[in-house]
Amino acid sequence: METLLLVEDDVGLQKQLRWQLEGFSLQMAGCRSDAIACLRRFEPKVVLLDLGLPPDADGVSEGLKTLEELLALMPMTKVIVLTGNTDRENAVRAVALGAYDFCQKPFEPQVLALILERAFALHRLEAENSSLKTLQTSTPLQGIVTHDPVMQQLCKTVKRVATSEVTVLVNGESGTGKELFARATHHLSPRSEQRLVAINCAAIPENLLESELFGYEKGAFTGASKQTIGRIEYAQGGTLFLDEIGDLPLSLQAKLLRFLQERVIERLGGRAEIPVNVRVVCATHQNLAELIKQGRFREDLYYRLSEIVLKVPPLRMRPGDIALLANVFLEKYAASQGRSLRGFKPEAMATLTHYAWPGNVRELENVIKRVSVMAEGPYVGTPDLGLDVTEEGGAETPAPLNLRQVREEAERKAILDAMAQTEGNILQAAALLGVSRPTLYGLMHQYKIR
């Protein structure tokens, strides 16, 4: 139940409202000091405040002071002022000081219930918006949402290397967001005003890939009716992103190596050497070292491409990111579908966090996109996810044998999951974990979780 604070010194009215508000977790205070204490302890989202409080029970000075202190401590709290029929002027004063609304005595239960419902709904909406704004401003790189230390370190590395001209190789499983790192490298570089030209080496047939990369002269082959520049030349002054570089045919690897060494190209059917000034960023989901052993990738090309290597971890190895990304995607796609989905049921979130996600972030995004269309209630349940937990896929890393290390890793993962599920609300996360708020603060400090 939602926590509601009633600040009222009239015992009779307290009893009446306790009966009318039995659908809430009702906390009561009879004076300003008690109200402030309850606010600090229970952090209610909505407060019902009578302006006539002791020692000025017949006036409004104490009530208005209480209102100002409540809002100073928790500005997002919705304070509803209780007034008499002839006290409209003071109610307006209270609203001018920041009160959300006022309700006249004697109360009509339906009217009071409607005001409370709207107040809680507005608080939820503002909290969600605030959380998203905080998330956007704290995102390490554009488009990347993470709490994982490894991912955050990768983002710091990208910021450092982006200003240089070194060739960057991004390695990771499919769906982990390799292209986001490549694009961030371009956008943070001095070349950001120029083109970012991307080409997927696995998506173009081998017989067309050479002409796509290097271009061709008129008459170079049947159907070459005009001179056409290639992707490398088109990226002049900007960044060339070669995705799935591990699928580049051996016949083209030598030609690409020469370009990387000399920074010149020759179009198909041409003789002139054309200088090209581009920054090269590559990505692959394959193990290039294994391909070298198998004779499918040139070792000298690998060393040219891997001046800086970014290894993007799979989603299953990023504690807390599954719940965090699920909430972000749900907010995004529910809004695009015009749905008012409020979040995930605990069992659904448990299913998400324990699933191995062989398709990584791309698979998670697709699942949440489907959920935003198919979910029937305001909260997403496990059946809505459509996940077969018996076919999780993905290899698990061996668990450490050191008991202290096992405990610390488990505690850290549990805290990250709880913080992600509660969107950073310390009180709710502590309740979810079954510890006190000071204990949670201490653990967060111990594990350096902000």
Side-chain angles (χ1 to χ4, degrees), residues 87-332:
D87 205 18
R88 187 178 184 87
E89 181 181 348
N90 288 322
V92 173
R93 286 178 60 192
V95 171
L97 288 173
Y100 165 70
D101 204 345
F102 63 91
C103 187
Q104 294 181 340
K105 305 175 187 176
F107 309 112
E108 293 185 21
Q110 296 84 354
V111 174
L112 181 58
L114 179 61
I115 294 175
L116 289 172
E117 181 182 350
R118 290 173 55 197
F120 279 109
L122 180 60
H123 188 283
R124 281 194 297 268
L125 182 61
E126 290 180 350
E128 290 171 3
N129 288 338
S130 176
S131 176
L132 288 174
K133 287 178 181 177
T134 302
L135 181 64
Q136 290 168 359
T137 55
S138 63
T139 297
L141 292 176
Q142 183 180 5
I144 296 175
V145 178
T146 183
H147 282 329
D148 182 60
V150 177
M151 289 288 288
Q152 291 178 345
Q153 185 59 46
L154 282 177
C155 294
K156 292 179 182 178
T157 302
V158 168
K159 290 178 180 179
R160 286 199 299 270
V161 305
T163 55
S164 68
E165 290 294 314
V166 296
T167 303
V168 177
L169 174 64
V170 188
N171 187 245
E173 296 180 8
S174 295
T176 51
K178 298 186 294 295
E179 185 170 347
L180 290 177
F181 283 98
R183 292 187 178 277
T185 303
H186 170 72
H187 292 309
L188 294 173
S189 74
R191 300 174 180 266
S192 59
E193 298 299 323
Q194 305 299 322
R195 296 189 186 96
L196 170 65
V197 179
I199 184 169
N200 190 319
C201 300
I204 301 175
E206 182 176 347
N207 59 336
L208 299 179
L209 185 56
E210 183 177 6
S211 61
E212 190 72 21
L213 282 171
F214 297 95
Y216 53 86
E217 299 288 351
K218 181 179 179 180
F221 50 84
T222 303
S225 58
K226 62 178 182 178
Q227 183 190 77
T228 302
I229 67 172
R231 297 289 185 92
I232 296 176
E233 192 176 350
Y234 186 66
Q236 180 74 262
T239 302
L240 176 69
F241 174 45
L242 299 173
D243 198 8
E244 299 302 346
I245 191 68
D247 292 294
L248 188 70
L250 271 173
S251 58
L252 289 182
Q253 291 179 24
K255 194 166 184 178
L256 180 62
L257 176 63
R258 181 174 182 271
F259 159 67
L260 292 173
Q261 290 173 334
E262 307 296 335
R263 296 294 168 167
V264 296
I265 63 166
E266 293 180 10
R267 300 191 190 108
L268 270 69
R271 293 289 184 268
E273 291 186 342
I274 304 168
V276 181
N277 175 23
V278 298
R279 168 81 174 275
V280 178
V281 180
C282 304
T284 181
H285 71 281
Q286 301 191 60
N287 186 332
L288 294 185
E290 280 298 317
L291 295 183
I292 291 171
K293 291 179 181 178
Q294 298 169 14
R296 295 167 52 195
F297 202 85
R298 294 178 63 109
E299 188 173 11
D300 48 2
L301 177 59
Y302 171 74
Y303 291 125
R304 280 288 178 182
L305 296 175
S306 59
E307 293 175 340
I308 293 291
V309 179
L310 304 177
K311 294 186 178 181
V312 184
L315 184 58
R316 62 183 175 275
M317 302 299 292
R318 294 159 51 180
D321 277 6
I322 295 174
L324 178 65
L325 288 166
N327 281 311
V328 171
F329 290 145
L330 185 66
E331 179 75 20
K332 172 184 175 182

Side-chain angles (χ1 to χ4, degrees), residues 369-380:
K369 189 174 183 179
R370 181 178 67 246
V371 163
S372 69
V373 177
M374 303 302 295
E376 296 182 359
Y379 290 92
V380 178

Side-chain angles (χ1 to χ4, degrees), residues 57-100:
D58 296 327
V60 296
S61 60
E62 188 69 9
L64 294 177
K65 288 180 182 177
T66 304
L67 171 64
E68 290 177 335
E69 287 194 28
L70 291 173
L71 293 177
L73 286 172
M74 295 185 65
M76 291 182 64
T77 301
K78 304 305 170 192
V79 180
I80 301 169
V81 173
L82 305 179
T83 68
N85 287 328
T86 60
D87 205 18
R88 187 178 184 87
E89 181 181 348
N90 288 322
V92 173
R93 286 178 60 192
V95 171
L97 288 173
Y100 165 70

